């Protein structure tokens, strides 16, 4: 059975549903609104695991917020079989940068064929683990 999602042409979307961890789902949902996004599911307890909210950025890309409690989210990344990255398809990278960078502290790098969105320190992590020459190529 296929559960393929379809989106109207031109609507930005995360290929993997993005769900950044936040310290406070209520405060983050308020910040989403203040930045021009909307909250489609108000912050709600998800059992003892944490608290979640569903949001939409100003251009229409859906994402969720996760305030971890007992369920911490991805504890392993960039290893075989684990989460590696999420992919935002948008026709306006500048608008995405203007929304997500101040909201989550993400950094954006134009790498020629795409824009890489990352958390601060990600290149240091890669240099220490799998790509010692990354700083020289940046």
């Amino acid at each position: 059975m296929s559960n393929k999602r379809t989106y109207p042409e031109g609507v930005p979307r995360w290929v993997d549903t993005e769900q950044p961890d936040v310290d406070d789902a209520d405060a983050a949902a308020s910040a989403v609104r203040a930045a021009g996004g909307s909250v489609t599911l108000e912050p709600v307890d998800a059992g003892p695991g944490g608290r979640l909210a569903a949001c939409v950025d100003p251009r229409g890309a859906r994402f969720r917020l996760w305030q971890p409690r007992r369920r911490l989210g991805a504890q392993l990344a960039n290893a075989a079989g684990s989460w590696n990255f999420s992919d935002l398809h948008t026709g306006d990278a500048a608008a995405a940068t203007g929304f997500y960078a101040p909201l989550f502290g993400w950094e954006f790098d134009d790498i020629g064929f795409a824009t890489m969105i990352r958390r601060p320190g990600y290149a240091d992590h890669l240099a220490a683990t799998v790509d010692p020459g990354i700083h020289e190529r940046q």
Side-chain angles (χ1 to χ4, degrees), residues 16-31:
D16 232 357
T17 301
E18 187 61 17
Q19 186 168 298
D21 285 0
V22 295
D23 293 331
D24 181 332
D26 295 278
S30 292

Side-chain angles (χ1 to χ4, degrees), residues 2 8 22 28 32 35 39 45 48 50 53 56 59 61 67 71 88-89 94-95 120 129 133:
S2 175
V22 295
V32 165
V39 177
D45 286 333
V56 180
R59 297 217 354 111
Q67 178 185 332
R71 186 175 183 138
L88 174 63
H89 289 215
T129 57

